[in-house]
Amino acid sequence: MIEHPAFTVEPWAVRERGLHLEVLAQSESVFALSNGHIGMRGNLDEGEPHGVPGTYLNSVYELRPLPYAEAGYGYPESGQTVINITNGKVIRLLVDDEPFDVRYGTVLEHERTLDLRAGTLRRRVRWESPAGCGVGVTSTRLVSFTQRAVAAVLYEVETLDEPLRVVIQSELVANESLPDLGHDPRTAAVLEAPLVIEENLTHDTEAVMVHSTRASKIRVGAAMAHEVDGPEGTEVEAWGDGDVARVTVATRVEPGRPLRLVKLLAYGWSSQRSRPAVHDQVVAALAGARLSGWEGLAGEQRQFLDEFWAGADVEVHGDNQAQQAVRFGLFHVLQAGARAEQRPIPAKGLTGPGYDGHTFWDSESFVMPVLTYTRPSAVADVLSWRPQTLPTAKTHAASLGLEGSAFPWRTINGEECSGYWPAGTAAFHINADIADAVVRYLDATQDAEFERVTALPLLVETARLWRSLGHHDRDGRFRIDGVTGPDEYSALADNNVYTNLMARRNLRAAAEVVGRHPDEAEAMEVSEEETAAWRDAAGAMVIPYDGRLQVHPQAEGFTDHGRWDFAKTKPEQYPLLLHFPYFDLYRKQVVKQADLVLAMHLCGEAFTAEHKARNFAYYEALTVRDSSLSACTQAVMAAEVGQLELAHDYLGEAGFMDLGDLEHNTRDGLHIASMAGVWTALVAGFGGLRAGGGRPIAFAPRLPPGITDLCFRLRYRGRRLKVSIDAGTATYELLEGEALPVSHNGEEFVLAASPESRAIPPVPPSPRPRQPPGREPLPRHRYTRDAAEGRVTEPVHPAPLPPLARPHG
């Protein structure tokens, strides 16, 4: 955990005052910049010291073998690992022959600021060399949202007192040495020198490098150009050889006359285009960047974010940390998907090498819901990647003896990378999660072209998978046996409630879309008999229920299992999977992450209010949250069943996952799903947002004592909405678009030009459910109470949870 107050609490920024080398790797993740295509960790400009150097391109990976103790039919033979590509961030500085290095000399002042409105990382440092020469350095870095292939740095050097001789070395460098990331299987496999040089050309202030990967045969291009504003006599030269290209600027800096360098970068990759084509691609992108210049790029960045925040901002009053956390989370969710453009969103985004850069079900089930209501075009782009991988998914299904498509549990290019099949291949719910994201997007946008081109094949092939995987038993009920649900402490279960409910939604949605597009369905050889079989399976789906306990078992027979002995489990024995065999975990009532509770959130119509309350209390006592995916879902359902303070506590856990480094692995990249979960806890939890199912968009607002007011904006069906909530009233405003039917606590009305206010009914008190001993979330009321009394000026970080471990979460 980051135990000192590394980041100040501000509404629109994450600021680090001072330089804390002991948490440098964590801050590199927090300060990462991305647009979904390019990702740059927040490494220091001079490159050293570093925690984990990292520059990434979405879906650029290298292959590596997957070792097995015993081979098995259908096991994946190789995995994919994201690689650190050509680094263009490096700008070295020499002051009268002394290299600028924060480990030497004296750092007089150091501050870094991630500006959530400008979309930039700004660094300001004042340094005195060992020889006593004082300089001030200011750098501002951006990865462009408007020019997908472009990044830029504004770098300025000034002398603090006397004239100084200054040399800047701006570089492109490939195959950097990476640190040992340890044996945690969530971190990337370290691949030495994955790039093979094909071209290194320099001219004037420009350089172009082209590499290819050794095994995956992906070609990567990087280019840089510079604008230098210095005194007369400034010398500039370019040099390149092997894996390094360098532009050197030498001059004499006088007091009051800083040296200004603008570095423009362009990146591109292809698995098919030739070296000259990739070369031309990055040169063309660089030309576009030069046309805009630094001021143009920065202006475009601010304009892009202004438009985003106008339909996405969340205002929280009463909990300043939650205010910062939700905007920080939204910013990183946007960065992960804004310009992914038919590429996946990895679990860590492009902020680090964690999980080998793989995408999981997080993308569709946690990240895309946020983007659906804040930047829906990004969801269309990301979901369009899945149809490209359908041939691979069909082959995978066939190898398992199934029809339709079996999408991979973890992947970069569409091929399965999980070597642990009970938690990987058996987690077939990924197929329904993809279908659910498709259905949600269609409801929120009514995008007819997307439905015809993208949604139809995805829904048809996933429906075929479920019809093939399940079967009708002797009583005519449709069963899905031997699968793994979201809870990775239960594997190969029969009739997992989450899986069955999501599969039912998938089957019905497929039948409906086929009915609207008969010609396209006929081209896919979908018959009336097949769609009837889907409807029959959905109508007969088994949803287990324990009448004795009056709760839904997570899966058939789950509530008959022996309970985990939490009282004898020591705090240092979490996460359980690192200290106990799966054999023991799989046959006990212990839950790694929300499973049945997630089903109640996403498929709430399948449960009564009484069922939700009883189920929630039952599973609170079993859920240990050895996964970062759990807290936000528990926050949503805690709010729905009236446990508002508990919901606030879970909101805090999701919000500080990376700002507080709660799980000791922020160094490997941010938990993008948890970033999204802060928005979900606030908007779906305290705002009560629910949509879909042919009903008007609905809200059931209610606030915990620690939050006095909540206001959020969202986009829905071409409209822009604003919802403002205080202790007793919710006000709905239509900021843009035509009138829209809306539901408030079950009362439907039409929202038009005039704001509509509705009273919020009081929440009846109920006993607070208990969690396993030692797994309670830290109470938020302590911070909000002290803040209200003016006693907190710096962040009070929650107590750390033990670190997580494989396979995912």
Side-chain angles (χ1 to χ4, degrees), residues 646-676:
L646 179 58
H648 195 184
D649 298 344
Y650 282 132
L651 163 67
E653 185 171 305
F656 307 132
M657 191 63 61
D658 291 305
L659 288 174
D661 194 16
L662 295 188
E663 294 175 350
H664 315 289
N665 61 0
T666 297
R667 73 191 302 267
D668 305 323
L670 301 179
H671 300 78
I672 301 300
S674 192
M675 300 287 96

Side-chain angles (χ1 to χ4, degrees), residues 550-564:
Q550 293 185 307
V551 298
H552 288 82
Q554 182 172 281
E556 205 167 62
F558 179 81
T559 49
D560 294 326
H561 294 174
R563 284 208 172 200
W564 187 265

Side-chain angles (χ1 to χ4, degrees), residues 139-342:
S139 71
T140 307
R141 182 186 301 170
L142 67 81
V143 174
S144 177
F145 286 121
T146 58
Q147 300 189 37
R148 179 174 179 255
V150 170
V153 183
L154 171 62
Y155 192 87
E156 297 175 290
V157 182
E158 60 181 341
T159 177
L160 298 184
D161 38 48
E162 58 185 315
L164 293 173
R165 186 174 65 255
V166 167
V167 177
I168 292 176
Q169 295 175 313
S170 177
E171 296 184 348
L172 291 175
V173 56
N175 290 322
E176 296 173 284
S177 296
L178 299 178
D180 181 3
L181 297 179
H183 301 291
D184 187 334
R186 292 167 302 175
T187 61
V190 179
L191 301 174
E192 293 186 6
L195 296 171
V196 178
I197 186 70
E198 292 187 348
E199 179 179 278
N200 186 334
L201 298 176
T202 59
H203 172 69
D204 196 16
T205 66
E206 301 179 10
V208 180
M209 295 174 67
V210 179
H211 288 79
S212 60
T213 55
R214 296 179 186 276
S216 59
K217 304 303 179 185
I218 294 173
R219 185 166 279 119
V220 177
M224 64 177 179
H226 300 80
E227 299 171 2
V228 181
D229 182 5
E232 186 177 350
T234 298
E235 295 187 358
V236 181
E237 64 177 8
W239 170 89
D241 186 53
D243 286 332
V244 179
R246 180 182 303 123
V247 170
T248 301
V249 179
T251 193
R252 190 169 184 83
V253 175
E254 302 286 342
R257 178 67 170 89
L259 172 62
R260 184 178 191 264
L261 175 77
V262 173
K263 182 175 187 177
L264 302 173
L265 294 162
Y267 287 95
W269 70 271
S270 176
S271 59
Q272 300 181 25
R273 289 194 294 275
S274 66
R275 178 194 57 75
V278 171
H279 170 108
D280 291 349
Q281 177 185 350
V282 294
V283 168
L286 202 59
R290 279 201 307 268
L291 182 65
S292 297
W294 171 261
E295 284 73 19
L297 289 169
E300 292 170 10
Q301 192 85 338
R302 180 60 184 253
Q303 184 177 1
F304 181 97
L305 283 165
D306 284 347
E307 192 273 339
F308 170 72
W309 291 118
D313 190 27
V314 179
E315 299 174 60
V316 184
H317 299 279
D319 187 340
N320 294 336
Q321 288 184 330
Q323 176 66 88
Q324 181 185 49
V326 68
R327 285 178 174 149
F328 173 71
L330 277 168
F331 179 75
H332 273 290
V333 167
L334 176 68
Q335 287 201 131
R339 301 301 302 272
E341 297 181 7
Q342 300 189 19

Side-chain angles (χ1 to χ4, degrees), residues 64-68 75-80 356 358 416-420:
R64 59 182 175 85
L66 288 177
Y68 297 97
Y75 285 12
E77 296 180 358
S78 64
Q80 305 125 37
D356 283 325
H358 294 162
E416 180 62 75
C417 285
S418 175
Y420 184 66

